[in-house]
Amino acid sequence: MNTLLTSLPKSTPLPRYATRLLGAALAATAYVVCIPWDLRNRAETPGGIDETSPVSALGVTFLALSLLALAAYFGIRDRLAWTLLVVAAPPAALLYASLSSHPTQDANAWPVTWAFCTLVIGAGTLVSATVARRFRREDG
């Protein structure tokens, strides 16, 4: 249990980078599970003018909680810059790939949407990691 909370910068390179890769994989997996790949709005019925999005409030909530928990864990164990790269970068990259795959006429505002969502994910990661750092034990 103690090895799960040791400082990553002080550990040997193999466990350090393996832990970071696992964290990035968990962040990406949380995004893939919670947010559908095709984010375009769809008409509720064929020929209808009311659109609906495949993104659900439950999915966004679970994604936020998962990323906050990962950010808190890596905030305790690692530097803030690495926490941001491990936790926030994979969902931001996947969101970018998803939004940029839409035809231009379908997603004119996607760069603004991506920038806003990336800012929210990054800010949440940094706040969670900063708060969690206050609770870490100093080995010394």
Side-chain angles (χ1 to χ4, degrees), residues 1-42:
M1 180 70 175
N2 193 23
T3 60
L4 292 176
L5 295 176
T6 58
S7 176
L8 283 179
K10 294 178 183 175
S11 66
T12 58
L14 182 62
R16 178 184 330 146
Y17 290 110
T19 303
R20 289 173 179 163
L21 281 174
L22 179 62
L26 287 172
T29 302
Y31 177 86
V32 169
V33 167
C34 297
I35 305 294
W37 182 256
D38 187 3
L39 299 176
R40 291 179 284 186
N41 291 334
R42 299 281 196 268

Side-chain angles (χ1 to χ4, degrees), residues 64 67-69 71-72 80 83-85 87-89 91-92 114-132:
L67 294 180
L68 288 173
L80 286 177
T83 301
L84 190 63
L85 285 173
V87 177
W114 176 79
F116 176 75
C117 291
T118 299
L119 179 67
V120 169
I121 292 170
T125 298
L126 287 177
V127 167
S128 179
T130 302
V131 169

Side-chain angles (χ1 to χ4, degrees), residues 49-125:
I49 60 170
D50 293 330
E51 291 183 339
T52 183
S53 174
V55 178
S56 69
L58 183 63
V60 171
T61 302
F62 185 73
L63 175 64
L65 292 175
S66 300
L67 294 180
L68 288 173
L70 277 171
Y73 177 73
F74 279 96
I76 290 171
R77 289 199 68 191
D78 212 348
R79 296 182 180 111
L80 286 177
W82 273 107
T83 301
L84 190 63
L85 285 173
V86 167
V87 177
L94 289 171
L95 180 62
Y96 182 85
S98 177
L99 290 174
S100 67
S101 68
H102 294 182
T104 305
Q105 70 275 9
D106 186 41
N108 288 332
W110 76 262
V112 175
T113 302
W114 176 79
F116 176 75
C117 291
T118 299
L119 179 67
V120 169
I121 292 170
T125 298

